[in-house]
Amino acid sequence: MSSLREEPSTLEVSDLQISVADGLVAVQDVSFQIRRGESVGLVGESGSGKTLTCRAALGLLPAGGRVDAGRIVLGDGPEAVELTGARRSTWDGVRASRIGAVFQDPASYLNPSLTVGHQLAEQLRVKRGLRRREAHARTVELFAEVGLHDPAGVFHQYPHQLSGGMLQRVLIAIAISCEPELLIADEATTALDVVIQAEILALLRGLRATHGLSLLLVTHDLAVVAESCERILVMYGGQIVESGPTDQVLGDPQHPYTRALMGVATIGDWGRRRLDVIPGQPPAAGERLPGCRFAPRCGYAEAACLTGPVPVTDLGAGRTSRCVRTSASLAEAVPA
Amino acid sequence: MSTTHLRLPEQAEAVPTPAPLLRVRGLSVSYAPPRKGTHLGTGAALRDAELEVRPGEIVGIVGETGSGKTTLARATVGLVAPAAGTIEFAGDDIGRLRGRARRAFRRSGQVQLVFQDPLRSLDPDLTVAELVREPLDIAGLLSRSERQQRVAASLDLVGLDPEAVGHRRPRELSGGQRQRVSLARAIATRPRLLFCDEPVSALDVSNRNLVLNLLDRLRVELDLAVVIIAHDLSSLAGIADRVAVFYRGRIVEQGRIRAVLEEPAHPYTALLTASAPSVAQEDRLRPDQLRPAAGTPAWPADLGCVFAHRCPVAHDACAEQPAPAVVPQAPGRLVACHDAVDWRERLDHSHPQKESA
């Protein structure tokens, strides 16, 4: 991915810290960058802070949640906008126009009493200033682009008349309607069956190519990232524990948590096999751990892991790992 | 469509197998009253299902939403009456039970159903101990002190400490713990057959395998027959012995899980396995090779084979629904396809496609 180095930044997050209700710190010390046209997978279990991180970039933190520290910068050069602490008027120019988003449960993001075409056309009229007739024509074009059959017919249908996969396509059409630079897909395919999931992922890959979109794919499923993302960020307990090019991270994971995740993920061959289990539970939001947040569950933990914070190690070639060990010393060590 | 029973020759070389505990033959279920004679009407959720489950065996059921997976489970536990066919449990046709007899069978707790979302299926006002004891109270089994022991034993079996969690309520537990409480509740009556509806789809990877391993252990320790409904092939691949693939209310393919997933004999099964995301990106069919080519005339709705409208190799013969049959090319399997296995050859020549954008 060295050629991507030259591309301008689409989203740069640095030293982000987010607290939720009661001041519990749920995300800390998160830094990453997404460059133009790049697709990045953010992987973690529930409670790892992955959804909070992408919600912060959309200004949609839940009640009580707030960004304590760090910066989120959208765009590069003169176009750059600082999103932390942005005003309502700034967000109006960012959401939908520059960042599009799709979520897990498409039905709950649409108004059940308006036709889906009406809802997309409305956005085009408000955000892009199109006239009614133009907005209608563009809506039908967009519906066709996201692979809906009979787009002109779908325009007049209500959300309840469409299947989950079709609704997700409608949401994607809405998300890309204003030509955003960044599309955030938060567990967008989790609730769909595998056949539809594969179709939606193929659609997202295609849109990336045709629109030059950057993609942030948030998921708990390593296998989804493996097929759709160039780079991967692995989150655990509110921190990014490993990052790097997807094939390298999955081919030779450096952090014990990534290794453990690989052990429980779909490896691709079928038939009876061992089902690994990561012992213990992830830390709760705000739980104070002086050392590495994975140490209590880690088979390789040593004294140094428990006493002080573990810094991020730059491993070169765009890879980082938040672990005191390297893969060589992981290979030597016998897990406890 | 015949309702005669088709015997699978697959276990010929395997260990001597016990008689099936559950034997479903020609089962059809309809949620709307049938119109005009014997026609099932528009509400047909399941048609001509054939399935056998033996003690100590795990059978997986896969299929998309609305394909009849849950309907089969509901019919087997007696929550919905079949429109046609039989459901034999330990030799008795439980599909024909009515009124008091049906209630008595349900209360006996010999067949238990574990629902998908434990947070919504467990009464939030009851403690864990009460939740696990409730089925015993309903079945009227055991004395008071024996029930207490059974509750503790059931919680132990699923790896929960009765002392620590017994007095908690569902919302005070983690997702994985809640699912284990659901299991403890289901096994409290010592059922012989356990139906699990999407037992792990709401769980994270760490907890997912924990629950699957637990089911694997329970079937050995309690000699349970287990049916697991899932939409995630990878979680099934780990523990199931056999798998049945549902599509639009019909079982299109069934057989030993490894054979079915590695060499699918039905085009829909092939589409499923090709679509499943995987970390290892091996050489395999791509999903778009298994869809009708662009420009293919649309298959008439509701004509013939249930899969024809999405099948890349549908032809004239497919205007008639094929019956599940044993095919020589894929021994030990029942496949409902006129071109079982052979469709692969036609696929390669008919329309080579590139990954669509």
Side-chain angles (χ1 to χ4, degrees), chain B:
Chain B
M1 189 67 210
S2 82
T3 52
T4 47
H5 179 232
L6 293 155
R7 178 153 276 289
L8 298 179
E10 64 187 13
Q11 276 90 9
E13 75 283 15
V15 278
T17 47
L21 180 66
L22 177 73
R23 187 179 280 175
V24 173
R25 298 180 188 183
L27 180 68
S28 298
V29 177
S30 173
Y31 288 117
R35 297 171 201 163
K36 291 181 198 165
T38 56
H39 194 257
L40 286 170
T42 49
L46 193 62
R47 290 168 191 263
D48 300 313
E50 305 272 339
L51 192 72
E52 286 184 356
V53 189
R54 293 173 184 77
E57 183 181 46
I58 297 185
V59 173
I61 291 182
V62 292
E64 57 186 22
T65 316
S67 61
K69 299 172 294 182
T70 304
T71 298
L72 178 68
R74 288 167 56 89
T76 311
V77 294
L79 288 172
V80 55
T86 60
I87 307 166
E88 267 180 43
F89 178 77
D92 301 322
D93 184 2
I94 56 172
R96 225 175 299 161
L97 297 178
R98 290 291 178 272
R100 185 168 298 175
R102 184 150 78 139
R103 278 199 300 280
F105 173 75
R106 273 166 54 180
R107 286 176 177 167
S108 72
Q110 295 184 72
V111 180
Q112 290 283 15
L113 178 57
V114 179
F115 294 94
Q116 179 168 4
D117 183 352
L119 195 55
R120 282 194 284 178
S121 59
L122 296 175
D123 188 332
D125 289 338
L126 297 184
T127 65
V128 167
E130 287 165 341
L131 282 165
V132 177
R133 203 188 60 223
E134 199 177 37
L136 293 170
D137 295 344
I138 291 169
L141 295 170
L142 310 175
S143 72
R144 202 182 171 83
S145 62
E146 281 171 329
R147 280 181 207 175
Q148 219 117 42
Q149 287 170 9
R150 179 65 69 82
V151 169
S154 300
L155 286 169
D156 267 334
L157 267 173
V158 300
L160 292 172
D161 180 2
E163 298 289 314
V165 301
H167 58 276
R168 293 203 215 165
R169 290 172 214 279
R171 69 183 131 81
E172 297 166 323
L173 302 170
S174 73
Q177 286 175 322
R178 275 199 290 268
Q179 194 56 277
R180 281 187 275 167
V181 170
S182 294
L183 271 176
R185 178 180 158 93
I187 61 170
T189 56
R190 292 290 179 270
R192 301 168 68 188
L193 174 66
L194 195 61
F195 254 96
C196 302
D197 193 352
E198 303 267 7
V200 296
S201 59
L203 301 179
D204 272 317
V205 276
S206 334
N207 282 319
R208 185 167 290 194
N209 290 356
L210 204 71
V211 169
L212 291 174
N213 284 332
L214 179 61
L215 284 170
D216 199 16
R217 219 186 68 217
L218 290 176
R219 62 127 157 215
V220 177
E221 289 182 10
L222 304 178
D223 198 29
L224 264 178
V226 183
V227 180
I228 300 178
I229 299 174
H231 68 262
D232 172 18
L233 294 177
S234 65
S235 54
L236 274 186
I239 62 165
D241 303 305
R242 288 193 297 122
V243 65
V245 182
F246 280 58
Y247 187 76
R248 284 207 174 176
R250 287 190 188 268
I251 301 179
V252 295
E253 178 168 2
Q254 61 174 304
R256 315 256 352 137
I257 187 151
R258 182 155 204 159
V260 170
L261 296 183
E262 283 179 355
E263 286 150 18
H266 193 283
Y268 176 63
T269 319
L271 179 62
L272 267 184
T273 56
S275 299
S278 137
V279 172
Q281 309 215 359
E282 75 277 41
D283 194 26
R284 60 179 188 185
L285 284 173
R286 292 186 311 276
D288 43 272
Q289 287 175 290
L290 293 157
R291 296 201 183 92
T296 313
W299 188 266
D302 297 325
L303 175 68
C305 173
V306 282
F307 187 61
H309 68 121
R310 284 173 75 184
C311 185
V313 292
H315 52 91
D316 296 345
C318 302
E320 193 178 330
Q321 170 66 38
V326 179
V327 288
Q329 305 94 316
R333 264 189 269 175
L334 285 178
V335 188
C337 180
H338 292 297
D339 269 346
V341 183
D342 298 338
W343 54 265
R344 281 171 185 277
E345 287 161 33
R346 305 190 30 220
L347 187 72
D348 293 335
H349 304 304
S350 53
H351 45 264
Q353 286 181 30
K354 296 194 175 74
E355 164 110 11
S356 62

Side-chain angles (χ1 to χ4, degrees), chain A residues 45 236 256-265 275-282 294 296-299, chain B residues 204-210 213:
Chain A
E45 295 174 66
Y236 181 80
Y257 177 63
T258 318
R259 292 192 156 211
L261 266 189
M262 291 288 291
V264 299
L275 291 165
D276 283 345
V277 171
I278 308 175
Q281 292 291 324
F294 186 59
R297 302 172 77 187
C298 179
Chain B
D204 272 317
V205 276
S206 334
N207 282 319
R208 185 167 290 194
N209 290 356
L210 204 71
N213 284 332

Side-chain angles (χ1 to χ4, degrees), chain A residues 45-94:
Chain A
E45 295 174 66
S46 50
S48 63
K50 58 188 196 305
T51 294
L52 280 176
T53 302
C54 77
R55 295 254 165 171
L58 288 163
L60 295 174
L61 286 176
R66 64 187 195 94
V67 175
D68 297 324
R71 284 158 56 82
I72 303 173
V73 178
L74 176 69
D76 207 1
E79 302 270 274
V81 182
E82 165 70 53
L83 296 180
T84 39
R87 293 151 165 265
R88 176 72 193 265
S89 57
T90 311
W91 280 120
D92 284 346
V94 167

